[in-house]
Amino acid sequence: MGFLTSLGLGAVGGAVFQLTGLPLAWMLGPLIANLLLSSNGVHVVVPERVRSVFLAVMGLVLGSQVTPQLAHRVGDWPVSAVLLLLGVAASTAVAAAWYRRCGFDSTSAWFSAAPGAMTAMILLGDQCGGDPRRIAVAQSLRVVLVILFLPAFFWLVSGDGPSAEPPDTVLSDGWMLLLIPLVLPLGRWLRVPSAALLAPLLVAAALSGFDIASLTLPEWGMNLMLWVLGSAIGSRFKGLSGRQLSRYMWQSGVATLLALAVLALFAELIHQFLGVGRDVAILALAPGGIGEIAILAVALEIDPVFVAFHHLLRMITLMIVAPFWARYLAGRR
């Protein structure tokens, strides 16, 4: 029942956004509708199995962006990778300082501010004596706020920027969707991080890179995928009262804007040094989850492969560094 309610609310939100001409209507409309209703006690839920399937579809679409002509660009990526890691360190420090001013203990502040690897940050923060609820809410709201802010930012600032609607395409190589029941269990068995997204992405990248097959979805298929994934993101906030959500939204909103401001400086350096578009550089460094940013990159047609590579690098780096940082914080305590 909660699933049907979530999709129904999402359909209403998507239709309203579509009618008003707002960007990414079938992702942001369902997200906001579910966010508002779930925080007011309405039971909404998107089962993890359903979310994983649609995230796998996104992975196939994203991996299909890899082409044989991509190799000549890879040489530029070490420079942007270094700038990304420097930006992550700086933005995390700034956001953590803000959370400390809001009354967070040191451990909760640092793990709330880390831009990615949400599940790992919550677990490690809990093990180090932090407040797992605060960390979970801060991490979730950061992802939501980035998704809400960036499309509107691109839409308002750049009138000739990327399209906010899915491209008008037809279904091609749709048989790749039949790989999902095979690839998902394999990815979990191999313990691929964010397996629902990355395992299909790697398979599709191999097929597309060798010019064997490349999945594209029609507009209605993209909208369907965005509708379900947007509803899934918005339904995370059940159990929070409206007052709690407002307070956490304010705290996380300021932290997210501070992080975005710092990362925008490093994105400008990438733009200047490598000639990468500002929108591409900003999205590649944006402090959102890899799955959610991948959705934006594909839907907004902002160089999805470049964006996904940098978010994957950030996630892997955080997974490596966070345990050592957790040990340091635990030692201080």
Side-chain angles (χ1 to χ4, degrees), residues 36-329:
L36 293 176
L37 273 296
S38 65
S39 65
N40 282 282
V42 177
H43 177 57
V44 289
V45 63
V46 174
E48 183 59 29
R49 183 173 298 180
V50 175
R51 176 182 173 274
S52 295
V53 169
F54 281 88
L55 206 53
V57 177
M58 174 57 67
L60 291 175
V61 173
L62 180 57
S64 295
Q65 306 292 318
V66 175
T67 64
Q69 294 76 32
L70 184 67
H72 75 279
R73 299 179 50 210
V74 176
D76 291 337
W77 292 3
V79 175
S80 58
V82 170
L83 291 171
L84 162 74
L85 298 180
L86 292 174
V88 167
S91 64
T92 301
V94 169
W98 164 253
Y99 280 128
R100 290 286 285 155
R101 287 183 61 90
C102 294
F104 283 44
D105 62 89
S106 178
T107 300
S108 298
W110 278 104
F111 284 100
S112 295
M118 181 190 307
T119 302
M121 297 304 105
I122 296 168
L123 294 175
L124 286 170
D126 188 18
Q127 291 173 10
C128 295
D131 185 340
R133 180 180 173 85
R134 269 187 162 181
I135 297 171
V137 172
Q139 287 279 350
S140 298
L141 282 174
R142 171 181 53 78
V143 172
V144 169
L145 289 167
V146 168
I147 294 171
L148 291 175
F149 176 74
L150 286 181
F153 174 77
F154 292 140
W155 186 53
L156 291 172
V157 171
S158 182
D160 58 349
S163 169
E165 296 299 329
D168 186 15
T169 58
V170 296
L171 179 66
S172 67
D173 291 318
W175 61 266
M176 291 175 64
L177 297 172
L178 301 177
L179 298 175
I180 291 175
L182 302 175
V183 174
L184 284 182
L186 179 62
R188 296 190 187 102
W189 182 67
L190 294 174
R191 297 189 177 183
V192 176
S194 298
L197 176 74
L198 292 182
L201 186 157
L202 293 173
V203 170
L207 292 172
S208 183
F210 287 102
D211 208 17
I212 298 172
S214 182
L215 175 68
T216 58
L217 296 178
E219 182 177 341
W220 66 265
M222 284 293 295
N223 285 338
L224 174 63
M225 181 173 61
L226 296 176
W227 171 30
V228 175
L229 292 174
S231 299
I233 297 168
S235 63
R236 290 176 180 172
F237 296 92
K238 55 188 176 184
L240 282 180
S241 68
R243 179 175 296 180
Q244 286 176 317
L245 182 62
S246 298
R247 184 172 75 253
Y248 290 146
M249 189 75 78
W250 156 250
Q251 294 172 351
S252 297
V254 173
T256 300
L257 287 175
L258 288 172
L260 281 169
V262 172
L263 289 167
L265 297 177
F266 287 88
E268 181 63 23
L269 292 176
I270 292 176
H271 169 69
Q272 295 294 336
F273 289 161
L274 301 180
V276 173
R278 284 190 176 92
D279 54 350
V280 177
I282 289 172
L283 198 57
L285 270 62
I290 183 171
E292 291 78 10
I293 295 297
I295 295 170
L296 291 185
V298 172
L300 296 172
E301 301 180 82
I302 301 180
D303 202 345
V305 176
F306 183 88
V307 171
F309 166 78
H310 288 79
H311 281 271
L312 179 59
L313 173 64
R314 184 194 62 192
M315 183 178 68
I316 292 173
T317 303
L318 284 172
M319 295 285 284
I320 294 172
V321 172
F324 295 99
W325 189 247
R327 189 178 303 172
Y328 168 74
L329 291 175

